[in-house]
Amino acid sequence: MATITLKINGQEVQVEEGATILDAAKKAGVYIPTLCYHPYLPLEEACRICVVEDVRRGWSTLVAACVFPARQGMVIETDSEKVQESRKTILELLLSDHPNACMTCQATGDCELQELAYRHRVKPDAYPGERHRHPVDSDPNPYLHIDMNKCVLCRRCIRACHDVQGADIWTKVGRGFEQRISTAFELPLQDAGCEFCGHCADFCPVDAIGFRAGRYEVRAWELRKGTTICLQCPMGCGAVYDTHKGKVVTVHGDFEAPANTGALCKVGRFNYNFVNTPHRLQSAFVRGPSGEQAPAPMHAALDLAAAKLAEIVEKHGGSAVGIVAGGMLTNEEYYLLQKLARGALRSNNVDNVAGPWHLPLYEGLSSALGWGAMTNPLDDIALAKSLLVLGSNTLERHAIAALRARKAVREGAVMIVAHPDRVGLTKNAERHLALRPGSESSLLCGFLKVIVSEKLYDASFVDKYTQEFDKLERSLEKISLQDVAERTGLSEQEIQEAARLYASRRPAFLIYGQDMGQEPANETLYRMGAALQMLLGSVGIPGGGFAAMGVTGNAQGAADFGAWPKYLPGYRSVAQAAARKTVGNLWGVEVPGDAGLSWPQMFEAVEKGDLKALYLVGVDPFALGLPERAVESALAKLPLLIVQDCATTRAAQYAHVVLPGAAFMEKEGTAVNCERRMQKLSPVMTPPGEAKPDFDLIQELLRRLNADLVPTDRAQAFDEAVQLIKDMSPLRYAAVGKKGPCWPVQENGSGMERLPLLEDKPTLKFFATRL
């Protein structure tokens, strides 16, 4: 791109054509104050605090640096008398209708207007006159505190609501002195359709829209900020935590995080009471001879847990022990858990709560595409020309994918939402297909039928990159659209029109999200989804791919690092002797070859009396959707139940040993998000009392059962694990940052964001399909 040269305060600066004066000033290290400007929002000339003097031949003019383009030969003064006078006047006018209550304002110490007034020595009463008297905190919502008396009409909230969240709740109403920010028809936020993402509060410079949490309890300068990766859903968002005295106060999006670039969902933003709860576990407990639980020293609890596990293995064999991990553990913790199970307890009964949902995802996609995970980065969704969204309520379960889909729609894409209910994304969709619950697989089959029979597919792509198209074609001949319509509850016409619409704009992006409240899809669904994308030439290219997303925060990492009963780390089958030998040689032990149990099968085995010990790490079985009485019965029958969690759960009441763990924001380690991106977590606070990160507790148990298997630290555990994971083998723990690579990782450490397309050796494969 062409460059231009201009002068700022006598300093020559070169910038690319199209850059603003503010961009040029930043490059030159020259400070220009801003208020309405934000680097992650569209430009809007609203406040003019950023005015600079554009000096021309014999005259000059003031221009807004944040929007005015830099031009060849420009001469800019940023601190001239004219500029200073203009900025001061603007600030005085803003303060003429702004509460002068900084001593009691929540934003004091973190207010952009306060900072500007201080820098420019502005008097708050320079322009006395009428002031607004808007109601304070009159909106009944539980998350946001509204005081529009503080508003400076920068409209950052409106831009955030539109361009980041895509919800379009905030707007301008009134004119002149009566202009203000409100919802449409001035409805309460809940009634206006607010999604409570919190972006408006994140971007507000003056606390006109702020968070309720911590208000009148802690000041800005008392907060400690720390950044880590949120593990409450598979998006892998970077989050900035404000903490005070061991509590999370507020959470903000990390603008430098590649997965979310500052955006957060409602859960990531506001769901942190599991850390702040008074029911945090701060010490270990053991059940005594009388049946009562009592506090115990950590070493004693670990000794007892290890001794009981060893006793059961000695008496009943390793298959009598099961381990179930929650969805918010680190890669190193998943790896160490399955190493504990297989290496020390001689059992393949190790699973994570996402396992039953994630296993068919892996097996379906790996057989069709060559790898069993999402094909593209999340940002690619915004580049699509058509989108098909099905499965979970995407906005609630996989919000960042939903926000990228909304962005694509704003830029002209068409979106089809297939869901039994009118979910959040429906309002952005060209079509809503209200299909029967659980019939997504049948709908995909219908799309394939229409596209193949009407020859709407990309024949050149199919010929060049795929295998066995004839197998798919023959199987579709046996399927009638009428049968598809009956299964989905849609009309044949609805299915035909939706399939034609989806195929008409390319690249196309398929988004399928899972929900633990629904039955797991089988691998056929994923093969059909892959087939649909292959037919449209929309896989592994910018804007074209298959976003298949798991149900828990680090479900991908759990799968990659072997916390599955069926697969060792790196998707090595436990049924294959060569795979067991490779792992056994690395560990120095013999890996068991008996098939392991998934966690639903483990609970069945407890009822039958086959499973004698259960180790639960970060998971409450009462929250897994199993019948409550069945869980109660199973836990009560167990000769040994070890519960390890950060807070007291109902399951802990049945435990023989309770170990106090840590929440994910108190941990160091790595995690893999749905787009296969490896990212590093950093602790933003310290676990309370004697609580420790799960890695440390698992490590101590392993030390007591087989000290030869114990890694010295997380780095050694990670570096050992990736020796077994072909797609990560060049990666080392020390090299992982918060902008980590997407696997497969190349020898130089760089990642591969998209599924590669090989012309000389087609790796994409069609399968016969069925209803």
Side-chain angles (χ1 to χ4, degrees):
M1 185 177 287
T3 60
I4 59 173
T5 303
L6 67 158
K7 280 188 177 181
I8 300 180
N9 297 346
Q11 178 183 347
E12 279 199 354
V13 188
Q14 272 197 344
V15 292
E16 289 185 349
E17 197 171 8
T20 64
I21 296 172
L22 182 61
D23 294 331
K26 286 181 177 180
K27 187 173 181 181
V30 176
Y31 168 74
I32 296 177
T34 59
L35 192 59
C36 70
Y37 168 82
H38 194 283
Y40 289 91
L41 292 177
L43 301 177
E44 182 171 353
E45 187 178 355
C47 71
R48 292 187 66 81
I49 293 295
C50 67
V51 292
V52 293
E53 190 172 3
D54 180 5
V55 181
R56 305 185 183 182
R57 295 176 183 173
W59 63 287
S60 67
T61 187
L62 297 179
V63 297
C66 72
V67 296
F68 205 85
R71 294 174 180 164
Q72 178 65 34
M74 254 186 172
V75 176
I76 299 295
E77 294 292 335
T78 68
D79 290 306
S80 65
E81 185 178 340
K82 185 185 289 188
V83 167
Q84 292 294 341
E85 183 181 348
S86 175
R87 289 177 187 161
K88 189 172 183 179
T89 300
I90 292 167
L91 287 167
E92 287 171 344
L93 287 168
L94 286 174
L95 291 174
S96 71
D97 190 32
H98 191 86
N100 186 16
C102 291
M103 294 194 58
T104 56
C105 180
Q106 182 69 21
T108 294
D110 192 31
C111 172
E112 294 178 38
L113 180 63
Q114 184 185 65
E115 174 66 16
L116 289 170
Y118 174 77
R119 276 179 175 266
H120 292 81
R121 304 180 187 182
V122 174
K123 296 178 181 179
D125 55 355
Y127 292 98
E130 184 180 355
R131 289 172 176 259
H132 286 108
R133 295 291 184 267
H134 299 301
V136 178
D137 196 25
S138 61
D139 194 281
N141 80 85
Y143 303 110
L144 301 176
H145 179 278
I146 312 297
D147 182 0
M148 286 302 172
N149 296 296
K150 299 178 183 178
C151 180
V152 292
L153 293 173
C154 67
R155 300 195 278 278
R156 275 162 50 165
C157 57
I158 296 175
R159 284 175 281 159
C161 193
H162 176 75
D163 289 276
V164 178
Q165 185 68 14
D168 294 318
I169 302 303
W170 292 112
T171 187
K172 295 179 292 185
V173 299
R175 292 193 170 195
F177 184 70
E178 296 305 321
Q179 186 177 120
R180 61 199 181 281
I181 305 297
S182 181
T183 62
F185 307 108
E186 304 194 62
L187 291 170
L189 286 170
Q190 186 80 49
D191 298 340
C194 180
E195 294 163 359
F196 296 110
C197 61
H199 294 136
C200 52
D202 239 0
F203 283 92
C204 180
V206 292
D207 192 48
I209 306 172
F211 298 112
R212 290 191 183 280
R215 192 165 290 271
Y216 307 122
E217 296 175 9
V218 57
R219 305 309 296 264
W221 55 85
E222 296 178 288
L223 296 172
R224 291 184 55 192
K225 290 187 180 293
T227 303
T228 192
I229 305 300
C230 176
L231 294 185
Q232 297 192 74
C233 88
M235 301 293 99
C237 296
V240 181
Y241 289 83
D242 292 335
T243 63
H244 180 64
K245 294 184 177 179
K247 304 286 186 183
V248 176
V249 179
T250 48
V251 187
H252 311 276
D254 179 6
F255 290 104
E256 295 182 7
N260 59 311
T261 54
L264 281 181
C265 69
K266 180 170 66 176
V267 174
R269 175 93 61 187
F270 297 114
N271 186 43
Y272 44 75
N273 284 337
F274 64 94
V275 185
N276 293 350
T277 177
H279 302 296
R280 282 299 301 268
L281 284 168
Q282 300 193 36
S283 64
F285 291 83
V286 299
R287 188 177 298 281
S290 64
E292 294 293 319
Q293 287 181 347
M298 183 73 82
H299 68 86
L302 289 164
D303 287 343
L304 178 63
K308 290 288 187 182
L309 285 169
E311 180 183 322
I312 288 173
V313 171
E314 182 67 26
K315 189 174 181 181
H316 302 283
S319 61
V321 179
I323 297 177
V324 185
M328 295 190 284
L329 274 62
T330 66
N331 296 329
E332 297 74 27
E333 290 164 348
Y334 286 126
Y335 177 72
L336 209 57
L337 265 181
Q338 62 86 39
K339 190 177 184 182
L340 170 70
R342 294 178 165 119
L345 301 175
R346 304 197 302 278
S347 174
N348 281 316
N349 297 336
V350 57
D351 200 3
N352 71 94
V353 292
W357 287 265
H358 212 90
L359 182 62
L361 184 160
Y362 165 73
E363 294 187 333
L365 289 186
S366 60
S367 60
L369 301 176
W371 71 26
M374 187 169 165
T375 61
N376 295 57
L378 286 163
D379 281 349
D380 268 11
I381 297 172
L383 305 177
K385 299 302 180 186
S386 64
L387 302 120
L388 175 59
V389 183
L390 65 163
S392 67
N393 180 345
T394 312
L395 192 61
E396 292 290 326
R397 299 292 180 183
H398 305 96
I400 302 304
L403 302 193
R404 299 293 187 270
R406 279 179 166 172
K407 183 178 180 182
V409 171
R410 287 197 301 273
E411 296 180 3
V414 295
M415 179 162 62
I416 302 163
V417 173
H419 197 280
D421 305 318
R422 291 193 64 83
V423 292
L425 275 186
T426 307
K427 71 177 184 180
N428 308 100
E430 182 82 10
R431 290 177 187 268
H432 172 221
L433 302 179
L435 76 175
R436 288 196 180 108
S439 65
E440 292 88 357
S441 183
S442 298
L443 180 67
L444 287 174
C445 192
F447 271 51
L448 293 173
K449 174 74 176 178
V450 173
I451 290 169
V452 171
S453 62
E454 297 185 9
K455 299 192 184 304
L456 303 177
Y457 56 88
D458 186 337
S460 63
F461 185 94
V462 170
D463 290 342
K464 187 182 293 186
Y465 296 112
T466 72
Q467 308 172 38
E468 302 190 35
F469 171 66
D470 58 323
K471 188 180 288 187
L472 173 70
E473 198 171 24
R474 286 195 305 271
S475 67
L476 288 171
E477 289 172 358
K478 303 172 186 177
I479 294 169
S480 75
L481 212 54
Q482 183 180 353
D483 289 341
V484 174
E486 288 176 3
R487 294 199 179 205
T488 59
L490 303 170
S491 70
E492 291 183 50
Q493 184 178 353
E494 281 182 290
I495 297 167
Q496 287 171 329
E497 291 178 351
R500 290 165 186 159
L501 177 63
Y502 186 57
S504 67
R505 309 244 191 124
R506 302 175 195 172
F509 215 108
L510 173 58
I511 300 173
Y512 177 74
Q514 302 183 86
D515 187 337
M516 284 185 69
Q518 302 166 351
E519 284 294 313
N522 60 37
E523 62 188 62
T524 301
L525 178 142
Y526 296 101
R527 286 174 175 168
M528 287 196 291
L532 177 61
Q533 296 307 105
M534 287 188 277
L535 286 175
L536 300 180
S538 294
V539 61
I541 62 172
F546 188 178
M549 296 168 291
V551 293
T552 60
N554 195 18
Q556 189 63 55
D560 294 339
F561 283 76
W564 273 358
K566 191 175 180 179
Y567 291 102
L568 298 161
Y571 304 98
R572 299 168 184 266
S573 173
V574 296
Q576 293 179 350
R580 297 196 303 273
K581 184 177 180 181
T582 299
V583 176
N585 287 342
L586 181 64
W587 294 352
V589 297
E590 186 176 339
V591 175
D594 298 332
L597 302 177
S598 66
W599 65 257
Q601 292 171 330
M602 289 186 211
F603 281 92
E604 292 173 6
V606 173
E607 282 293 335
K608 294 175 183 176
D610 296 332
L611 202 72
K612 308 294 184 182
L614 193 58
Y615 179 21
L616 302 176
V617 183
V619 56
D620 184 356
F622 288 97
L624 295 179
L626 296 172
E628 186 174 307
R629 291 195 175 183
V631 176
E632 287 178 342
S633 173
L635 297 185
K637 283 182 179 179
L638 279 165
L640 176 63
L641 174 62
I642 304 169
V643 170
Q644 182 171 306
D645 218 318
C646 67
T648 302
T649 64
R650 190 172 166 189
Q653 300 170 18
Y654 297 83
H656 301 88
V657 179
V658 179
L659 300 173
F664 68 83
M665 64 280 286
E666 298 165 339
K667 295 180 179 182
E668 179 189 337
T670 63
V672 187
N673 76 343
C674 62
E675 60 183 353
R676 300 165 285 104
R677 188 179 301 281
M678 182 71 71
Q679 301 181 102
K680 186 168 282 184
L681 286 76
S682 300
V684 302
M685 53 198 293
T686 304
E690 294 184 322
K692 294 182 181 297
D694 294 310
F695 183 91
D696 297 356
L697 297 174
I698 302 163
Q699 186 182 40
E700 287 304 316
L701 268 180
L702 188 56
R703 193 185 311 280
R704 287 161 169 79
L705 291 163
N706 187 338
D708 292 337
L709 294 175
V710 179
T712 56
D713 55 19
R714 290 157 181 79
Q716 186 180 3
F718 180 93
D719 292 349
E720 177 184 296
V722 296
Q723 294 179 55
L724 301 171
I725 307 172
K726 180 181 177 183
D727 288 329
M728 300 180 190
S729 57
L731 200 56
R732 292 295 175 267
Y733 185 83
V736 178
K738 66 179 181 180
K739 294 184 179 181
C742 298
W743 64 253
V745 179
Q746 310 304 299
E747 287 300 326
N748 62 3
S750 64
M752 190 179 294
E753 291 194 330
R754 300 181 187 93
L755 179 78
L757 300 174
L758 305 176
E759 294 184 29
D760 55 335
K761 185 183 178 183
T763 55
L764 310 182
K765 185 177 180 181
F766 287 106
F767 286 81
T769 193
R770 65 180 191 275
L771 269 178

